[in-house]
Amino acid sequence: MVKTLSGDPECLSGLALLLQDITNGTLPRSIKPFLLSSNLIGLDKNQGQSVRPIAIGEVFYRIAAFRAQQAVRGVACEKLHPIQLGIGTPNGCE
């Protein structure tokens, strides 16, 4: 879906504005339920003895969140290191 949208300059411009509004938190409240919803899947865990719920978020929100995370990654790494090694530290959690 995003690949198709990005092929058209006008759609790409609209997509960029949507991602900017999501990142800046300037979207109307009425739109938030559509962007914050998730599809739920139950994956088999322990040979059928239990189910692991997996939530897959809306693609536009996920892209905006990824972009925001990339924008603050360096600063977050500096602020959190050496207390938190799960961000920007290869094999840090090991």
Side-chain angles (χ1 to χ4, degrees):
M1 178 170 64
V2 175
K3 183 177 180 181
T4 302
L5 284 174
S6 65
D8 178 72
E10 194 170 335
C11 289
L12 185 60
S13 175
L15 180 59
L17 289 173
L18 175 64
L19 295 176
Q20 182 179 2
D21 285 346
I22 293 170
T23 304
N24 294 338
T26 57
L27 286 175
R29 252 186 137 77
S30 60
I31 295 175
K32 288 184 180 182
F34 299 105
L35 293 175
L36 298 177
S37 64
S38 297
N39 291 322
L40 298 175
I41 312 172
L43 296 180
D44 184 26
K45 180 179 168 184
N46 299 331
Q47 287 82 33
Q49 295 182 17
S50 61
V51 175
R52 174 174 300 197
I54 303 293
I56 302 171
E58 169 60 45
V59 68
F60 299 122
Y61 180 80
R62 290 173 51 204
I63 292 170
F66 178 77
R67 288 180 62 237
Q69 182 266 336
Q70 290 295 315
V72 300
R73 183 179 181 149
V75 174
C77 232
E78 288 175 19
K79 299 282 184 191
L80 297 174
H81 193 76
I83 298 167
Q84 171 59 264
L85 298 176
I87 298 175
T89 305
N91 301 319
C93 292
E94 292 176 5

